Amino acid sequence: MLQVRAPPTFLPSTTSSSSPSSSSQAPAPSASFGRGSHRRGGLVPFAAAASPRRGAARRSVMAAAGAAKLEDADALIDSVETFIFDCDGVIWKGDKLIDGVPETLDLLRSKGKRLVFVTNNSTKSRKQYGKKFETLGLSVDEEEIFASSFAAAAYLQSIDFPKDKKVYVIGEEGILKELELAGFQYLGGPTDGDKKIELKPGFYMEHDKDVGAVVVGFDRYFNYYKVQYGTLCIRENPGCLFIATNRDAVTHLTDAQEWAGGGSMVGAILGSTKQEPLVVGKPSTFMMDYLAKKFGITTSQICMVGDRLDTDILFGQNGGCKTLLVLSGVTSLQTLQSPDNSIQPDFYTNQISDFLTLKAATV
């Protein structure tokens, strides 16, 4: 299959880390603002990239000032060209559409705004997410959807990951489909969900020495076999990468409660390998850089809309975007306004359908 390689400018920036890691492990993509260039041996920031301190300084100012409640939706809409939406907790919860979403998206499209949907959920491919949007009655093109499953495959393409190497997947079908579309060999995934280890005296677990990357995402079939297999690949295969689709603490599998997120699976592998993962999902700037390049967007003309402070809002701030927090998902108003919270969006509102009511209120 023809491999389309992403230009080096799509890569995230990096910062140094005090976490223990192998010298052969590529540095983890940082949440700092700016783009990176890949070189053999790791990721390095462009000389022209903004200082990583800019994002931190901006967050300090925002934390001191506090987020403003959205009062004039039209002013925000008119100030940007593109809206990037998180999905879980913003567009839907589980398999239930949040009230007012179709009308809100129609409003924004009628005003000529570009809409992009970015999710850290790696269980589905872009094509599968397209079907979910369709099932919920939303008309969204596949090219407008960016899942962390796609980001994992795109990252491997961007670093010229060797085609003779394999990827071990701790995750679900979405990652497998995106790797297949990118032309990479893979093993693991849901098929390893039924495998068990019988710990007998002298038992030695074999693993594939050709695995050059372990990709970890949310996995409902997570087990000890996968932990051990992924650990062996990362610790014993020279140069094997540890890639995480995200480190979300919780996710919305249903609309009834929060469930342990992909970060719990990533944490297990981190604990056994003592290596920090390369995170390709939010808040890493990899997807922001990719989107900006693909659509020719100036990040100051983007508004990032999400329900999580430490992923969605930080993702937007790291990319230099305006940010809007909605309280329809993970983050409560109490959490936002807590003295312990240092991440403050530009604006907050209850849910995205407030664009409709706030607009009506100003007429």
Side-chain angles (χ1 to χ4, degrees):
M1 182 177 295
L2 179 63
Q3 181 178 355
V4 180
R5 304 200 182 280
T9 53
F10 291 174
L11 287 172
S13 59
T14 58
T15 56
S16 60
S17 171
S18 59
S19 302
S21 63
S22 166
S23 61
S24 61
Q25 175 77 18
S30 162
S32 60
F33 176 73
R35 299 189 179 121
S37 172
H38 184 270
R39 294 178 184 171
R40 294 296 177 188
L43 296 168
V44 293
F46 283 143
S51 167
R53 295 187 180 90
R54 287 182 57 185
R58 182 174 184 270
R59 287 193 294 275
S60 297
V61 172
M62 289 299 300
K69 185 175 182 181
L70 184 65
E71 300 287 355
D72 187 349
D74 281 341
L76 177 59
I77 293 171
D78 293 341
S79 70
V80 296
E81 298 174 354
T82 300
F83 282 88
I84 298 179
F85 292 100
D86 176 48
C87 295
D88 298 317
V90 178
I91 304 298
W92 59 63
K93 277 190 174 182
D95 290 322
K96 183 179 179 181
L97 194 65
I98 294 175
D99 292 342
V101 166
E103 297 83 357
T104 304
L105 300 185
D106 287 344
L107 168 69
L108 295 175
R109 291 190 191 278
S110 72
K111 289 179 170 287
K113 304 303 175 181
R114 177 187 289 106
L115 307 184
V116 179
F117 302 87
V118 176
T119 175
N120 265 357
N121 191 327
S122 62
T123 61
K124 294 179 175 65
S125 65
R126 289 192 296 171
K127 185 176 290 294
Q128 289 172 313
Y129 269 112
K131 291 180 180 178
K132 178 167 184 173
F133 276 103
E134 184 179 355
T135 300
L136 293 173
L138 300 176
S139 178
V140 175
D141 293 335
E142 186 179 322
E143 290 297 307
E144 296 176 315
I145 303 168
F146 292 86
S148 61
S149 52
F150 169 79
Y155 177 77
L156 289 172
Q157 287 181 320
S158 71
I159 63 170
D160 295 330
F161 184 75
K163 286 301 183 71
D164 60 345
K165 289 291 186 179
K166 300 174 185 176
V167 181
Y168 182 68
V169 177
I170 299 175
E172 300 192 15
E173 190 177 3
I175 299 173
L176 304 186
K177 286 186 175 295
E178 294 293 357
L179 290 174
E180 183 177 0
L181 287 171
F184 293 118
Q185 302 179 68
Y186 61 82
L187 63 156
T191 59
D192 280 0
D194 294 329
K195 295 182 179 180
K196 297 180 180 180
I197 298 176
E198 295 185 15
L199 295 177
K200 301 176 181 179
F203 177 76
Y204 180 88
M205 184 174 177
E206 300 284 352
H207 72 282
D208 194 325
K209 299 296 194 294
D210 289 330
V211 171
V214 175
V215 175
V216 183
F218 180 77
D219 190 346
R220 286 169 289 192
Y221 313 99
F222 193 65
N223 59 21
Y224 188 65
Y225 177 92
K226 295 183 179 185
V227 173
Q228 178 65 2
Y229 200 101
T231 298
L232 290 173
C233 291
I234 294 170
R235 293 176 62 177
E236 298 186 11
N237 291 4
C240 184
L241 302 177
F242 173 19
I243 298 172
T245 60
N246 68 84
R247 298 180 76 167
D248 292 356
V250 296
T251 187
H252 292 113
L253 297 180
T254 69
D255 62 344
Q257 66 180 162
E258 293 178 352
W259 299 79
S264 59
M265 293 84 192
V266 173
I269 305 302
L270 187 155
S272 61
T273 62
K274 301 300 181 184
Q275 290 192 21
E276 287 288 333
L278 296 91
V279 181
V280 294
K282 297 173 291 184
S284 164
T285 56
F286 177 77
M287 282 200 286
M288 182 67 74
D289 293 343
Y290 189 99
L291 290 170
K293 185 71 174 182
K294 177 179 175 64
F295 293 115
I297 310 171
T298 301
T299 55
S300 62
Q301 289 294 308
I302 298 174
C303 180
M304 175 66 211
V305 183
D307 69 313
R308 297 174 186 263
L309 293 168
D310 60 348
T311 56
D312 302 324
I313 301 307
L314 201 54
F315 176 65
Q317 290 178 347
N318 291 337
C321 308
K322 292 183 173 66
T323 54
L324 172 65
L325 176 77
V326 291
L327 304 176
S328 53
V330 168
T331 306
S332 66
L333 183 60
Q334 181 180 7
T335 299
L336 172 64
Q337 296 179 339
S338 168
D340 297 327
N341 171 42
S342 62
I343 304 173
Q344 294 289 331
D346 293 301
F347 303 98
Y348 73 91
T349 194
N350 290 322
Q351 55 191 42
I352 65 170
S353 60
D354 289 345
F355 279 156
L356 304 170
T357 56
L358 290 174
K359 177 179 183 295
T362 59
V363 172

